Structures are given as C-alpha cells and as structure tokens.
Amino acid sequence: MQFKNNALKRVIEPVKSQATKFARKFLITATALSLVVPNVAITTAQAQQKKGLPLVRDAETEDLLREYAKPIFRAAGLPANQVEIILVNDKSFNAFVPDSRRMFINLGVIMDAKTPSEVIGVIAHETGHIAGNHLVRMRQAASNAQIMSVIGMILGAGAMAAGATTGNSSIARGGAAAVSGGGALAQRNFLSYRRSEESSADQAALRYLDRVGVSAKGMLTTFERMADQALFSAQYVDPYALSHPMPRARFNALQNRAQQAKHFNKKDPERLQLKHDMVKAKLLAFTSHKNSVYRAYPERDKSLPAQYARAIASMRSDKASKAVRKIDALISKAPEYPYFYEIKGQALLEGGKPKAAIAPFRKALALYPGNPHFEIWLGFAMVASDDKRYLKEAKSILTRALRKDRYSMNGYAQLAIANARLGDIAGADLATAQSHMTRGDVRSAQRYAKRAQKKLKVGSPAWQQADDILSAKVPQLRRR
C-alpha cells in the first residue's frame, strides 16, 4: 500500500456511586466527567445531555486516546481493558474518574493541548487515582468528614440548649459557633485529604511517564496553568483546576522531580503529533462555527489537519457535493486513511445520498476491519438506502457491531428499523427498548421490552435481554 503523504503513512496504524452529597457540596471532586455532535462521525447521546453530561462518540478520537492510554495503564499495572475512556462534549479543560473502570475526558482537553504529552500527562494523573485506589478512600474520607460535621452540630446544639435553659448567653453563643464550626472543620480535613491524594497521583504519573518513555513536560504545562489560575476568580478557571487544586508550591516540587527524569527533554514522535493535530482539527470543525474554523485554519494553510478541518466545516455548512470534493482531495493524499472515507460516507449520508455512502463506509471497514463505529455507519447507510436487498446484510452488520459496542443508541435504532422491515416485530421492539436504555429512558425501554417479551420464546437469549431491561430500576428524581 502506497501513500502519497509519507507523514500520514506513519499515522495509519489502526488501533485494532456517585460521590456523597458532602463531597459534591464542597468541591468538584475527581469523581465525575467524558463527541457526539448531532450529525457526524461524532454522534450525541441526548439523554446524557439532559442529565448535564453530553457524551460523544467518535472512532478517530477514541482510537487516539486509547493509544495514549494503553501504555500508561500497563505501566500502572492495570488489567487490559479495565478502564473505559469516555468523551464528554465540553470544550472546557476537564477530566475525572468516578470509579476504577471509567475515565471521562472533555473534548477541551484535546483541543487545548498543543502536544500529545499534555493529554498523556492528564491520563497518567487520573490513572494514578485509579491505581492508588483513591476513589474508595476518598468516599470514606468524605463519609468521615460528614460524620465529624454531624458530631459538631450535635455538640453545638446541645450547648445552645444548655445555654437557653440556664440563661447563659455566652454558652449559647459558644454552641452556635460549634454548629457552624463543625462543618468547616470537616471541610478543612477533607480538603487536606484531597490535597495529599492529588500529590500522590502526581508522583504516580511521573513514574508511569518515565516507564513508558514520555516526557513530563506536557503534564507540567497543564499543571502550571492550573497553578497560575489559582490566583484568579473561580469563574474564569478551568474545571480541572478546581477539581485538582495545584498550589504553586506543589507545582514547584513536581517540576523539580520531573526535570530530573531521563526523558524530560524527549519530544513527542512526529507520527503521534500529526495524529493529535488531525483529531484536534476535527474536533474544532465539528464543534465550532465555520468562521471560527477558517480563522484557525485559513486557506493559506495547506497542512493535512487544516484541509481536514475545512472539509468537515464544508460538510456541515455546504452542499454535499462541495464537501465530497474536498474530502476526495484528502483521500488522494492519503488513500489508506480510513477516517477520510468515514467522513465522506457521512457527508453523503447526511446530504441525502445514503446509497452512495455505502461504498466509502465499506472502504473504511476494509482499511480498519472490525471497527464497530464503521459497521454502524455502514448499517445505517444500508437501512437509509430504502433498498430491501441490503436489509439482511444491514441486520447482520449492526448485530455484530452492537456485540462490540453495546452503548450505541444509533446502532440499536437502525437495527430496530431493519428488523421491522424484515417483519421481525419482536426484534424491532427489543432493539427499540435497548435504544431507549442507552438514552437512560428506562420507562420507555421497559414498555418496549414488555411488548417484545410477549412475542419471544421464554428463556431465549432475546427473551433474557428483554427480562434484564424489565428488571432495571427506574431512577427516582429527588427534590433538592
């Protein structure tokens, strides 16, 4: 396979609870955070948006983050595939881990980072929290702090009652101070605990970076910004700086140790830098107005990332034919880059030409076999083509993809349509139920699962899947 662009040739290596109310009240903990734009390779989870956490799916971005994270996870001794990286459609710089199995990363982390090592440093720090079992201990610390606060309130209330019965106002005032001071003391103790865990994660991150041969300069760049932001009002500070407090003294200590590492002056590989720049351009194009894209990547910029960004901007604002011409120009420079074919297929599909989109999606899959994102796109195009000849193949492709990616709302929706057109009403109801579950709409999911179960053989795998949905608990909304 020959590439006209040698730099991109090197890039094309397809990578085949809740916290307590107390913790959430006093700080943004490292226990919560994760591109899906409504109409692209980036696709949106609407239900999550309603809950305040808009999740995003994009094959190229997810592959890049997995490439960043895989050696870090290995260096931390975490089992393969233990941690799932989830993208959040938010341009602010933030990342967090709610438990030992999920790491949420805002799009803003990639869009703000100039180099791969800046993102890798964030991943390494969050991995330090997971490997250090900080989440479990932090919840315990929050619980203990809450207990301390309650004890303080009880003691204070008792003192005020005694003051009232004896008529001693000084005792009553002392009791009131104890009531207000109990929570403050608990908060100080908890925040002190958090600072120690952050420092521990810093040191763990440095060890991981050293083991995998990545410079800590990127991590220092990120944390230096956080240390500087501590001087300003919180409303102008990135969420990451609030959830990962970085006093200047802590940064200086981290810097001294990082500069002693043998890989400190090592640059990121050109191949990885190009992949980073490509994804960064893509995210900007999908999340910004066309004018913003052209300001960042003017026509005089002939680099591949710039052409990529302008092609996507055209796809979102121009006629499909114009966008396809720009995408074809990219393909001519790198005919083995699968994501260019994915974007072409999407442009055609969204431009009202689903049958024409089938070929580029097939090509993307040929270049990156087994990619569930590409399989779902292909199944989508086949179903949307309204050609009965494609229905059985679409069903097979979508079913296979959903075994690998169980959280694709769009995948289940297209499978439901394919099943209905093939006369499999029970299968259509079950797929619809699964689609609602990925949205977080449990009630609607259970309504369709109940309909599906009536038509399914008792005890069959499909019947069991419907039964699992019916057994799910409906979230109860609480007043604040």
Side-chain angles (χ1 to χ4, degrees):
M1 295 182 288
Q2 299 297 316
F3 296 83
K4 295 184 179 180
N5 185 292
N6 292 328
L8 197 59
K9 177 180 179 180
R10 296 193 298 273
V11 169
I12 301 169
E13 297 173 356
V15 181
K16 310 254 184 192
S17 168
Q18 293 182 345
T20 64
K21 290 184 179 179
F22 176 87
R24 283 188 305 204
K25 179 178 179 182
F26 289 114
L27 73 165
I28 301 174
T29 68
T31 54
L33 276 171
S34 129
L35 187 118
V36 183
V37 172
N39 49 0
V40 249
I42 297 175
T43 46
T44 322
Q46 297 173 348
Q48 295 298 332
Q49 287 179 320
K50 293 178 182 178
K51 297 177 181 179
L53 194 63
L55 305 184
V56 172
R57 303 302 309 277
D58 178 62
E60 188 175 10
T61 307
E62 291 178 10
D63 286 345
L64 178 66
L65 289 177
R66 278 194 293 268
E67 184 171 354
Y68 287 163
K70 188 175 180 179
I72 296 295
F73 293 160
R74 189 186 308 118
L78 298 178
N81 302 320
Q82 173 182 313
V83 183
E84 179 184 10
I85 295 181
I86 302 170
L87 291 167
V88 181
N89 188 10
D90 191 319
K91 291 185 179 181
S92 64
F93 195 106
N94 207 359
F96 59 91
V97 287
D99 51 43
S100 64
R101 306 194 67 84
R102 294 172 295 169
M103 182 181 297
F104 290 81
I105 298 180
N106 280 16
L107 297 184
V109 171
I110 303 171
M111 295 170 71
D112 284 358
K114 294 181 180 179
T115 65
S117 60
E118 292 178 43
V119 181
I120 296 171
V122 170
I123 292 173
H125 179 91
E126 297 305 319
T127 302
H129 284 304
I130 294 174
N133 205 30
H134 294 172
L135 282 304
V136 173
R137 294 205 297 267
M138 185 175 68
R139 291 185 181 116
Q140 182 61 48
S143 178
N144 291 340
Q146 199 169 25
I147 291 171
M148 288 178 62
S149 179
V150 171
I151 290 173
M153 292 174 66
I154 292 172
L155 293 176
M160 284 192 291
T165 57
T166 62
N168 189 328
S169 61
S170 63
I171 294 177
R173 284 196 298 271
V179 170
S180 61
L185 176 61
Q187 180 182 353
R188 285 197 299 273
N189 287 343
F190 183 71
L191 292 177
S192 176
Y193 171 82
R194 277 300 311 278
R195 286 192 293 271
S196 70
E197 294 291 42
E198 290 301 326
S199 295
S200 175
D202 292 345
Q203 301 306 316
L206 288 178
R207 291 195 301 272
Y208 305 152
L209 294 172
D210 192 55
R211 289 173 189 171
V212 301
V214 174
S215 171
K217 276 186 179 179
M219 187 173 80
L220 286 179
T221 298
T222 297
F223 285 176
E224 183 173 26
R225 181 171 69 245
M226 289 163 53
D228 290 340
Q229 287 181 347
L231 302 174
F232 298 96
S233 169
Q235 72 182 82
Y236 301 112
V237 178
D238 280 326
Y240 198 66
L242 294 176
S243 61
H244 297 69
M246 173 63 72
R248 175 57 63 173
R250 176 174 146 217
F251 171 78
N252 291 339
L254 183 65
Q255 183 181 44
N256 291 335
R257 180 167 177 184
Q259 289 175 339
Q260 297 173 11
K262 61 182 178 181
H263 301 295
F264 185 73
N265 292 314
K266 182 178 179 181
K267 291 185 177 181
D268 293 318
E270 290 184 11
R271 177 193 66 81
L272 203 58
Q273 183 66 59
L274 180 56
K275 291 183 75 169
H276 178 86
D277 293 342
M278 293 289 284
V279 169
K280 186 174 178 176
K282 181 180 192 176
L283 297 183
L284 176 69
F286 269 128
T287 61
S288 306
H289 189 274
K290 182 178 180 179
N291 293 342
S292 298
V293 176
Y294 275 81
R295 280 196 298 271
Y297 299 99
E299 289 284 1
R300 64 178 180 275
D301 187 345
K302 303 301 181 184
S303 67
L304 272 174
Q307 293 181 64
Y308 197 19
R310 293 193 297 266
I312 294 171
S314 177
M315 184 184 84
R316 299 184 64 217
S317 58
D318 301 326
K319 290 183 178 180
S321 56
K322 183 176 180 179
V324 167
R325 286 197 297 271
K326 292 186 176 183
I327 298 169
D328 282 340
L330 284 171
I331 290 174
S332 69
K333 294 183 178 181
E336 304 300 323
Y337 196 60
Y339 306 107
F340 289 164
Y341 295 95
E342 180 193 21
I343 289 296
K344 180 177 180 177
Q346 187 176 343
L348 290 166
L349 183 60
E350 293 173 1
K353 300 179 179 179
K355 187 171 289 189
I358 293 173
F361 285 138
R362 283 197 193 278
K363 181 64 176 180
L365 260 176
L367 294 169
Y368 194 159
N371 185 300
H373 293 272
F374 295 170
E375 289 174 335
I376 289 169
W377 275 122
L378 177 56
F380 188 173
M382 288 177 167
V383 171
S385 72
D386 207 23
D387 188 332
K388 294 181 180 179
R389 294 174 298 176
Y390 289 119
L391 285 177
K392 288 185 178 180
E393 185 182 4
K395 178 177 179 176
S396 176
I397 291 170
L398 289 166
T399 301
R400 182 170 66 244
L402 290 167
R403 291 194 191 105
K404 292 174 281 189
D405 185 350
R406 296 178 293 110
Y407 304 109
S408 175
M409 177 178 64
N410 192 37
Y412 285 119
Q414 296 307 313
L415 180 60
I417 296 171
N419 280 331
R421 291 179 180 175
L422 288 168
D424 182 2
I425 305 304
D429 285 339
L430 178 58
T432 301
Q434 291 166 319
S435 178
H436 281 299
M437 282 296 287
T438 63
R439 291 184 173 91
D441 186 352
V442 180
R443 285 193 173 88
S444 295
Q446 291 179 336
R447 184 167 66 253
Y448 281 96
K450 188 174 183 179
R451 282 172 43 173
Q453 247 194 355
K454 292 178 180 179
K455 307 180 189 75
L456 294 167
K457 182 179 179 181
V458 176
S460 67
W463 187 93
Q464 291 286 359
Q465 290 172 26
D467 201 54
D468 288 341
I469 294 173
L470 290 171
S471 300
K473 293 183 178 180
V474 179
Q476 298 297 317
L477 298 178
R478 298 179 180 177
R479 294 182 180 179
R480 295 191 177 187

